[in-house]
Amino acid sequence: MPTKSNAQNAEIDFDTFYKRTVRALDIDYKELKKECEKKIESFQGQTRKVYTGDDCVLTLDTTGREWIADAGDGALPCGEIYIAPVEENTNGKVYFKLFSVDGLGVFDDITIEVENGHIIKTNCDVFNAFLKTLPDGADIVAELGIGMNPNVEKILGDSHLDENVIGTFHIALGMNYLFGGKNKCPIHIDLVGEGIVE
């Protein structure tokens, strides 16, 4: 990485993708780790709320789950904190201005409704049809993450880098048993957005 096929999958021209990836790697990793730890320490209680609009609030229960800081000792490029919420206790609505799904495309202005951890409805027919093709457990909200990389500054539709954009949040669908959850679904899809996490 970065490769031309990575850029094609993200529907981004290679030059932009290459420069973005190199910039994401060119950070102070000790400072990133410090900022990640500081962000984790700022959260009080076991409930997180994601605000993405006037009528879009997603509530996630994190009781008994641990935050993880990805600050250079895992995937590269890095720069996020994340947690596996209690699978059956996520409820509400969340809005995304832009997100991408590998092999499916880039989507604009999507609202997702979640009940007891499962996606019950979106406003996008293509994404709804896609969800029906996925294995059991793929409709479960499996992760809440927050982007922390100061050198990734804009969502472009490539979840691998978008999830590190400083100040963004992401939820993931599907698998989370590898980082503290219990859902053993074989897929994991990150959806990145802009909003406030409290």
Side-chain angles (χ1 to χ4, degrees):
M1 185 174 182
T3 68
K4 289 186 178 178
S5 63
N6 295 143
Q8 272 184 328
N9 285 340
E11 299 184 16
I12 299 171
D13 72 90
F14 179 68
D15 188 52
T16 300
F17 186 83
Y18 179 86
K19 288 176 182 174
R20 187 174 193 232
T21 302
V22 170
R23 183 162 161 68
L25 293 165
D26 186 22
I27 56 172
D28 181 333
Y29 289 91
K30 286 184 182 176
E31 183 65 21
L32 174 64
K33 185 169 186 174
K34 186 169 94 176
E35 289 301 312
C36 287
E37 290 170 352
K38 191 164 135 187
K39 186 68 172 176
I40 290 169
E41 289 170 8
S42 75
F43 291 127
Q44 302 295 315
Q46 300 297 317
T47 301
R48 301 279 64 82
K49 289 186 182 283
V50 180
Y51 298 90
T52 55
D54 292 338
D55 64 341
C56 289
V57 180
L58 189 67
T59 303
L60 305 98
D61 176 7
T62 59
T63 303
R65 305 291 171 88
E66 297 291 327
W67 284 96
I68 298 168
D70 179 12
D73 48 1
L76 291 172
C78 66
E80 66 167 311
I81 61 170
Y82 59 97
I83 193 167
V86 177
E87 292 76 8
E88 60 274 12
N89 291 350
T90 297
N91 291 283
K93 289 198 297 189
V94 60
Y95 168 77
F96 296 90
K97 176 139 185 68
L98 174 79
F99 69 73
S100 70
V101 177
D102 286 347
L104 190 63
V106 178
F107 298 89
D108 299 298
D109 296 317
I110 304 296
T111 301
I112 296 174
E113 293 186 40
V114 181
E115 188 175 285
N116 300 324
H118 295 269
I119 292 177
I120 59 167
K121 183 169 66 170
T122 83
N123 63 339
C124 177
D125 292 339
V126 173
F127 192 64
N128 288 336
F130 168 70
L131 288 171
K132 290 178 182 175
T133 69
L134 299 178
D136 288 346
D139 65 340
I140 290 176
V141 176
E143 175 189 1
L144 170 64
I146 298 172
M148 298 293 296
N149 188 319
N151 281 4
V152 189
E153 299 164 342
K154 185 177 178 183
I155 296 174
L156 293 182
D158 168 35
S159 64
H160 301 295
L161 282 171
D162 285 352
E163 71 178 5
N164 297 324
V165 174
I166 192 158
T168 61
F169 77 93
H170 56 278
I171 61 170
L173 310 179
M175 183 281 295
N176 66 3
Y177 76 97
L178 293 177
F179 55 95
K182 61 184 183 182
N183 192 15
K184 294 192 174 182
C185 176
I187 66 167
H188 181 89
I189 302 169
D190 288 302
L191 309 176
V192 184
E194 295 177 330
I196 297 168
V197 180
E198 293 181 347

